[in-house]
Amino acid sequence: MHDASERPRRPDDHPSHRPLPAGCFRVQRPIRFSHSDPAGIVYFPVYFDMFNGAVEDWFTQGLRIDYASMILERRLGLPIVHAECDFLAPSRMGDTLTLGVLIERLGRSSLQLRINGEVDGQVRLSGSLTVVTTSLDGFASMPIPDDIRNAMERYQAACEA
């Protein structure tokens, strides 16, 4: 007999594999033929493209900071320096994937984001992205500007509420 601490962990036991808090920004993506492999399952690199799109939408719609202006006019970039993902269940053509964004860590010039993908409330994948605020003129890291940091702090508080 095994006690509970020795039992194998189920994928949904891990905190990052649970649905994100209700206050977090979410965007829906229909799973299309072009997202799928011959078996009709989302081809894993496509998720990373979806993550990037969710971050752009989160900035523009969730933080109210126009992502295109931030890149093109302010010359401020957010390159991904680390990415990982747990794939918990397949998503298929015809599904509607809901991507949610959570700030896990807000540093001086970097932030770590959790992006979960859910279908009908079931977490299908859980990704972690570390991005660094970067000047697109000198390609060097820089502190997160105050207006962006303030928006992120407000967002973080709303997610946790």
Side-chain angles (χ1 to χ4, degrees), residues 47-125:
Y47 283 125
F48 288 98
D49 186 50
M50 289 182 186
F51 288 171
N52 197 63
V55 170
E56 287 185 38
D57 293 345
W58 171 62
F59 261 84
T60 301
Q61 299 165 22
L63 298 180
R64 303 283 187 234
I65 296 170
D66 185 67
Y67 194 82
S69 296
M70 186 178 75
I71 300 287
L72 299 172
E73 295 169 20
R74 292 177 73 173
R75 306 289 299 146
L76 178 68
L78 290 169
I80 296 169
V81 297
H82 180 81
E84 61 183 51
C85 189
D86 292 327
F87 304 97
L88 306 172
S91 297
R92 293 179 168 78
M93 183 174 57
D95 287 342
T96 298
L97 186 69
T98 300
L99 296 168
V101 179
L102 176 71
I103 298 173
E104 290 192 311
R105 186 186 57 76
L106 183 58
R108 182 187 75 79
S109 61
S110 67
L111 63 146
Q112 184 176 343
L113 300 172
R114 166 75 41 205
I115 301 180
N116 280 5
E118 303 173 14
V119 174
D120 297 327
Q122 177 198 28
V123 177
R124 299 281 178 93
L125 67 152

Side-chain angles (χ1 to χ4, degrees), residues 107-160:
R108 182 187 75 79
S109 61
S110 67
L111 63 146
Q112 184 176 343
L113 300 172
R114 166 75 41 205
I115 301 180
N116 280 5
E118 303 173 14
V119 174
D120 297 327
Q122 177 198 28
V123 177
R124 299 281 178 93
L125 67 152
S126 181
S128 177
L129 303 177
T130 302
V131 299
V132 175
T133 311
T134 305
S135 163
L136 293 178
D137 293 325
F139 294 100
S141 69
M142 57 182 278
I144 298 169
D146 289 341
D147 64 318
I148 295 173
R149 176 176 297 282
N150 292 337
M152 289 179 178
E153 288 171 346
R154 284 190 305 274
Y155 175 79
Q156 211 170 10
C159 276
E160 294 169 0

Side-chain angles (χ1 to χ4, degrees), residues 6-35:
E6 294 178 11
R7 73 175 169 78
R9 290 180 64 103
R10 294 186 343 225
D12 58 349
D13 283 345
H14 195 281
S16 68
H17 299 170
R18 296 184 191 124
L20 296 179
C24 292
F25 174 80
R26 286 173 168 74
V27 64
Q28 292 189 324
R29 296 284 187 258
I31 302 301
R32 303 180 187 284
F33 175 77
S34 63
H35 298 144

